[in-house]
């Protein structure tokens, strides 16, 4: 057997295994989401009082989270000035830490810059 073909064959085998695992995972995810939609439809059927309906919806969401591996974990980070702790879901961008604010020319006001970060004239 040609030694140069062995890495290519191993690479193909790894890709095939990854694709198979991704297909199985997505099938489980599809089933979990379909079950969630059925449970939500049952919750919203009009037979439950408001508190029971809300509990039913929460239970359906919790079951979906469990099926998909749980809700996203929260990440804590200190603010830029160190005066606060910011708790946000993993992967979410950190909110502005006050650096978007500038003093007015006369010094009597603090102005928060708009999203395009242009200072007022």
């Amino acid at each position: 057997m040609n030694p140069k073909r062995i890495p290519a064959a191993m690479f193909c085998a790894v890709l095939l295994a990854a694709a198979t695992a991704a297909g199985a995972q997505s099938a489980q995810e599809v089933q979990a989401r379909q079950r969630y939609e059925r449970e939500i439809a049952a919750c919203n059927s009009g037979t439950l009082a408001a508190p029971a309906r809300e509990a039913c919806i929460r239970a359906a969401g919790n079951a979906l989270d469990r099926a998909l591996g749980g809700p996203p974990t929260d990440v804590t980070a200190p603010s830029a000035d160190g005066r606060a702790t910011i708790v946000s879901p993993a992967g979410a961008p950190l909110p502005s830490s006050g650096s978007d604010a500038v003093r007015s020319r006369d010094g009597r006001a603090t102005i928060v810059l708009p999203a395009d970060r242009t200072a007022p004239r």
Side-chain angles (χ1 to χ4, degrees):
M1 180 179 247
N2 186 349
K4 291 181 180 178
R5 291 190 178 203
I6 292 173
M10 288 176 34
F11 179 71
C12 290
V14 168
L15 282 179
L16 180 61
T20 303
Q25 183 181 12
S26 64
Q28 291 173 349
E29 183 177 329
V30 167
Q31 289 175 349
R33 292 191 187 280
Q34 288 173 345
R35 184 173 46 251
Y36 170 76
E37 293 297 329
R38 285 191 306 270
E39 290 173 4
I40 291 296
C43 295
N44 290 328
S45 66
T47 59
L48 299 174
R53 179 185 161 277
E54 292 164 4
C56 179
I57 290 172
R58 278 192 303 275
N62 289 338
L64 178 63
D65 280 345
R66 281 191 305 276
L68 298 180
T73 57
D74 288 337
V75 176
T76 60
S79 63
D81 60 7
R83 298 185 312 160
T85 299
I86 300 168
V87 180
S88 60
L94 291 176
S96 170
S97 62
S99 60
D100 294 344
V102 296
R103 299 288 289 168
S104 64
R105 288 188 187 142
D106 61 5
R108 298 183 325 173
T110 300
I111 302 168
V112 177
L113 298 176
D116 64 1
R117 303 195 47 80
T118 56
R121 297 175 200 233

